[in-house]
């Protein structure tokens, strides 16, 4: 069912510093910062030949990554995003097997303008999984 690895997301306490590490130290192609107010994060995308890295910085006091950064003050891998051809069909298949979808279970428009869902890490090997319709 799942297809390509769309991106690996890394939550960071200092988005500008993290962007400079990827741009200068690692020599990667990085995007501008984009605020995602409906998701409580600011994102920077790093284009790699075979996938992307999504740097996540906190936006606002109620950012969903605040608790993660409290537990991981230097930052850390936050989620993996896999592509699926039909997100509602994927959700129905997963929930029928007992997997938990976070939030209301309805896809939201994600950072790329496409529908996304998040799956409970306890059901997926301790990893928060994002599904993106692509
Ligand atoms: Co993501």
């Amino acid at each position: 069912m799942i297809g390509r690895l769309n991106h690996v997301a890394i939550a960071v306490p200092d988005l500008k510093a993290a962007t400079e590490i990827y741009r200068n130290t690692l020599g990667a192609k990085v995007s501008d910062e984009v605020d995602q107010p409906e998701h409580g994060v600011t994102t920077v995308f790093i284009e790699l030949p075979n996938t992307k890295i999504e740097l996540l910085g906190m936006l606002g006091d109620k950012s969903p990554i605040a608790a993660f950064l409290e537990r991981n003050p230097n930052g850390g891998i936050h989620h993996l995003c896999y592509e699926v051809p039909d997100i509602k069909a994927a959700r129905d298949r997963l929930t029928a097997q007992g997997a938990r979808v976070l939030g209301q279970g309805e896809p939201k428009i994600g950072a790329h303008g496409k529908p996304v869902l998040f799956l409970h890490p306890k059901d997926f090997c301790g990893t928060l999984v994002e599904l993106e319709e692509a």
Side-chain angles (χ1 to χ4, degrees):
M1 180 182 78
I2 60 170
R4 292 177 66 244
L5 174 66
N6 184 277
H7 60 268
V8 176
I10 302 175
V12 298
D14 183 337
L15 189 57
K16 291 196 183 346
T19 301
E20 287 314 300
I21 288 168
Y22 272 86
R23 180 186 283 128
N24 296 325
T25 312
L26 294 172
K29 184 178 160 197
V30 305
S31 76
D32 290 334
E33 290 183 13
V34 179
D35 289 343
Q36 316 269 358
E38 68 282 13
H39 296 284
V41 293
T42 301
T43 53
V44 168
F45 276 97
I46 296 146
E47 291 276 348
L48 302 179
N50 61 343
T51 190
K52 293 184 281 277
I53 305 295
E54 177 183 66
L55 297 178
L56 299 173
M58 287 210 295
L59 179 65
D61 317 326
K62 293 193 181 114
S63 177
I65 64 171
F68 180 91
L69 285 171
E70 250 169 54
R71 294 193 303 273
N72 302 276
N74 298 313
I77 295 178
H78 185 263
H79 65 267
L80 301 178
C81 178
Y82 302 121
E83 295 180 0
V84 293
D86 179 335
I87 199 155
K88 289 189 175 169
R91 174 200 60 194
D92 293 347
R93 174 185 162 141
L94 291 164
T95 53
Q97 294 176 94
R100 288 166 284 182
V101 175
L102 299 188
Q104 306 305 322
E106 287 305 312
K108 276 193 186 178
I109 297 304
H112 305 105
K114 295 185 176 158
V116 301
L117 280 175
F118 285 90
L119 307 176
H120 201 297
K122 286 187 177 159
D123 297 335
F124 293 96
C125 312
T127 306
L128 179 61
V129 172
E130 179 179 20
L131 297 179
E132 180 175 302
E133 189 166 281

